[in-house]
Amino acid sequence: MAEKKEKLFDMFPECPYDEWRAKVEADLKGADFNKKLVWRTNEGFNVQPVYRAENIADFKTTDSLPGEYPYVRGTRTDNDWLIRQEVLAETPKEANEVARDIITKGVTSLGFNVTLDNVAAVRELLDGIDVAKYELNFKCCPRHAVETAKVIVEYLRETNNLTNFRGSIDFNPMRRALKHGTEFPGDIKAIALELLEVVKSVPEMRVLSVDSFMFCNAGAYIYQELGYAMAWGAEWMTILTDAGVKADEVAHRIKFNMGISSNYFMELAKFRAARMVWAQIVEQYKPESKLSCKMMAHAITSRFNQTIYDAHVNLLRSQTETMSAALAGVDSITTTPFDVPFKTPDAFSERIARNQQFLLKEESHLDKVVDPAGGSYYVETLTVSLAQEAWKLFIDIEDKGGFLACINDGSIQKTVNETSAKRHTDVARRKEILLGTNQYPNVNETAAGKIENTGCNCGCHHGDANEGEGLSMKRAASDFEALRLATEAASNRPKVFMLTIGNLAMRLARAQFSTNFFGCAGYEIIDNLGFDTVQQGVDAALEKGADVIVLCSSDDEYATLAPEAYKYLDGRAMFVVAGAPACMEELQALGINDFIHVRCNVLETLQSFNAKLLK
């Protein structure tokens, strides 16, 4: 090994931050640096446009190696994560057929959601599947978790696989309160204790679930999912250590099933922060070994941002999400098929979902590098900042009695639903972009014919509707989709005509803006190269049978052109001005009331147009 490391770019002099800042502010020509370049995150902290070595000089997160406490850089010394696919089937026999097929296609982790009430059912389910080779994960009703565990353990004992098994049973008694706002009817501590006793002979069976992906799918902010996940895990630790179970045993039975949203770097940092915070939480319970402080994390790409229209864009979203989790060093990943919002995934969409992970392994070689983001000034700063915000939330929950108390009284659900409502408003105002839905829609696409159902297709037999006071699982795109589906169902498809006139640059820009705006409702758009007079434009629009005429020009020209066009149109179609000109009040005094611009609530504006136009 070379004793001397080459220093790159040593021919360039170092640039102090103050010198760089002065140059940037000069280029901004008087604009406020913080307003222009500093990003205020939903997580409650600011992100600077650039980070330097001095920004992370005091961080302890850079002191450890992968596989070392506090595991911020990973719990392993490799990055060979497991590729998981959920097996969608009604019976053990059907599930076995699907599972045996997909394990020949590269899947290394299987998720089952079928009833297993006897050993014969387990035998039928796992026939021909090498227990030692694949991770096996079972979902079940929490009231039947013990019975499910008993038959699985009995099967493993019969087949000599007690020590070969890797996987989990999803015991999640918190699901009822989170989904429906009602407390779990059984004794959670008693069931958990019995469950731990049943699986005692299977060292690698995780049976205490922290399903924080539910918060991600409900639209929670990243720090909220992280804080609630930590509180949930700590609840398991408290309940069972207070009952006399060793901290090491409890920690080793917990599995975190976490969501991944499309905020690429923030999600990467979230998993790094999660491992670090969890390690420090477990340490407070005095485990005998620091190895017990390791987190096992399964990552699932988000459903909140998936769309029915332009559904193949879901592939782009889930690809960046999968990449975030892979680079963050999670243990396994489920990439959600792109067609989940409107149908049960088929062979094609499941194959594409698998291939998204194969692409990252076989072509991008992400499994060959452990914690590639380690030492990045930006990612290290995000990691610490997220950990701090999540810790504040965790402490707040603990002060209020713990995670279970806060979901039973509905306070957590209320907070997440408020966040979801805020994000839906941001989508409606295009502060949060869903490509193909509230920005750059395919105006000629129809979707009603491809919708088979609007549930989550995860096998838990629930839909998007919120029952009781539980989490709202309403996707971010759902309001815009309802708008377009109403347009599809109407007997007439409204026509929107772009009356482009005057300043070339402004009319083109505003015609493009207006096309995207009205395209979000699925209206037929008629664009034009331009007209010499407003009379020509209005006549052409009426000849085309336009329901809405959008005047596209410059602010200066609107003072003359808008009154002229409005008067000549004389109520024969709806009249809209693209923009918010200084003369808006004067135009409103003439009866021109419809203006579309960047400050509009796009959804509410289009809903009002639908109410007037659809028959």
Side-chain angles (χ1 to χ4, degrees), residues 18-148:
D18 291 342
E19 184 179 329
W20 173 86
R21 176 72 177 259
K23 174 60 177 171
V24 171
E25 289 182 337
D27 290 344
L28 286 173
K29 298 178 181 178
D32 187 273
F33 177 90
N34 290 322
K35 289 183 178 179
K36 283 288 184 180
L37 299 179
V38 177
W39 166 38
R40 181 67 177 177
T41 69
N42 290 326
E43 278 52 54
F45 56 86
N46 291 336
V47 172
Q48 298 295 324
V50 66
Y51 289 93
R52 299 160 57 91
E54 56 261 34
N55 294 115
I56 68 168
D58 297 328
F59 287 4
K60 294 182 179 180
T61 55
T62 58
D63 294 341
S64 62
L65 294 173
E68 292 182 359
Y69 180 89
Y71 309 112
V72 63
R73 303 203 61 198
T75 58
R76 311 183 307 276
T77 55
D78 65 72
N79 195 30
D80 191 16
W81 73 89
L82 299 175
I83 297 174
R84 178 166 162 180
Q85 181 173 327
E86 304 306 313
V87 177
L88 303 179
E90 295 294 327
T91 67
K93 183 178 180 181
E94 292 173 359
N96 175 260
E97 292 173 358
V98 174
R100 291 180 67 172
D101 175 55
I102 62 178
I103 60 177
T104 66
K105 298 172 181 176
V107 169
T108 50
S109 175
L110 297 165
F112 295 108
N113 187 21
V114 293
T115 301
L116 299 173
D117 49 13
N118 54 63
V119 178
V122 182
R123 194 178 295 115
E124 188 173 36
L125 176 67
L126 299 181
D127 181 43
I129 298 174
D130 188 346
V131 171
K133 192 173 180 182
Y134 304 99
E135 183 188 67
L136 306 176
N137 304 279
F138 304 90
K139 289 184 180 179
C140 65
C141 171
R143 285 180 289 183
H144 299 140
V146 172
E147 291 84 350
T148 300

Side-chain angles (χ1 to χ4, degrees), residues 237-464:
M237 294 294 298
T238 299
I239 289 173
L240 294 168
T241 55
D242 284 352
V245 184
K246 289 184 177 180
D248 300 80
E249 173 65 12
V250 181
H252 193 68
R253 298 295 181 178
I254 297 174
K255 184 169 186 177
F256 288 80
N257 299 301
M258 305 181 74
I260 331 165
S261 71
S262 292
N263 196 328
Y264 181 76
F265 287 107
M266 199 78 77
E267 286 290 353
L268 196 165
K270 179 186 77 178
F271 288 103
R272 301 177 86 248
R275 288 192 297 265
M276 176 177 67
V277 175
W278 178 244
Q280 294 176 68
I281 288 174
V282 173
E283 190 176 27
Q284 302 310 306
Y285 290 87
K286 309 299 183 192
E288 295 177 2
S289 170
K290 284 194 181 293
L291 294 177
S292 299
C293 299
K294 288 185 177 183
M295 166 189 277
M296 174 168 279
H298 173 62
I300 309 165
T301 61
S302 176
R303 298 171 187 266
F304 181 75
N305 60 15
Q306 287 195 316
T307 62
I308 293 174
Y309 287 91
D310 217 345
H312 288 96
V313 179
N314 293 334
L315 293 169
L316 303 181
R317 299 182 183 108
S318 60
Q319 187 68 18
T320 63
E321 291 166 2
T322 302
M323 190 173 177
S324 292
L327 291 174
V330 300
D331 296 286
S332 56
I333 304 174
T334 295
T335 302
T336 307
F338 74 91
D339 54 357
V340 158
F342 54 89
K343 65 191 292 281
T344 300
D346 56 25
F348 173 75
S349 63
E350 288 184 331
R351 175 190 173 194
I352 292 296
R354 291 192 300 269
N355 287 351
Q356 288 178 261
Q357 295 196 51
F358 297 149
L359 179 71
L360 297 179
K361 281 195 174 191
E362 304 301 328
E363 296 192 28
S364 300
H365 306 296
L366 298 192
D367 59 333
K368 302 298 190 293
V369 183
V370 185
D371 191 31
S376 160
Y377 308 145
Y378 179 47
V379 176
E380 293 289 359
T381 302
L382 288 183
T383 300
V384 171
S385 299
L386 268 175
Q388 290 171 340
E389 294 303 317
W391 185 257
K392 293 175 189 176
L393 183 57
F394 168 75
I395 293 299
D396 181 62
I397 294 168
E398 291 299 297
D399 288 343
K400 292 176 180 176
F403 182 78
L404 187 57
C406 288
I407 62 170
N408 284 341
D409 69 17
S411 58
I412 287 178
Q413 296 91 315
K414 182 175 181 290
T415 299
V416 174
N417 288 343
E418 288 172 353
T419 298
S420 177
K422 170 65 166 59
R423 292 189 66 186
H424 274 84
T425 299
D426 287 346
V427 170
R429 301 183 71 88
R430 294 208 284 210
K431 290 183 178 180
E432 184 171 336
I433 299 299
L434 287 174
L435 192 65
T437 297
N438 69 349
Q439 187 70 286
Y440 304 117
N442 178 353
V443 297
N444 294 317
E445 180 185 8
T446 58
K450 70 180 183 182
I451 298 175
E452 295 178 6
N453 60 67
T454 56
C456 77
N457 299 309
C458 68
C460 57
H461 308 294
H462 69 275
D464 285 339

Side-chain angles (χ1 to χ4, degrees), residues 137-182:
N137 304 279
F138 304 90
K139 289 184 180 179
C140 65
C141 171
R143 285 180 289 183
H144 299 140
V146 172
E147 291 84 350
T148 300
K150 284 179 178 178
V151 296
I152 293 173
V153 171
E154 189 175 342
Y155 170 81
L156 295 176
R157 185 174 288 109
E158 284 182 2
T159 56
N160 246 355
N161 278 309
L162 291 173
T163 57
N164 293 331
F165 180 89
R166 289 179 304 157
S168 65
I169 294 175
D170 186 38
F171 175 55
N172 179 6
M174 284 69 163
R175 184 187 299 128
R176 185 185 181 96
L178 289 171
K179 284 193 174 297
H180 309 300
T182 55

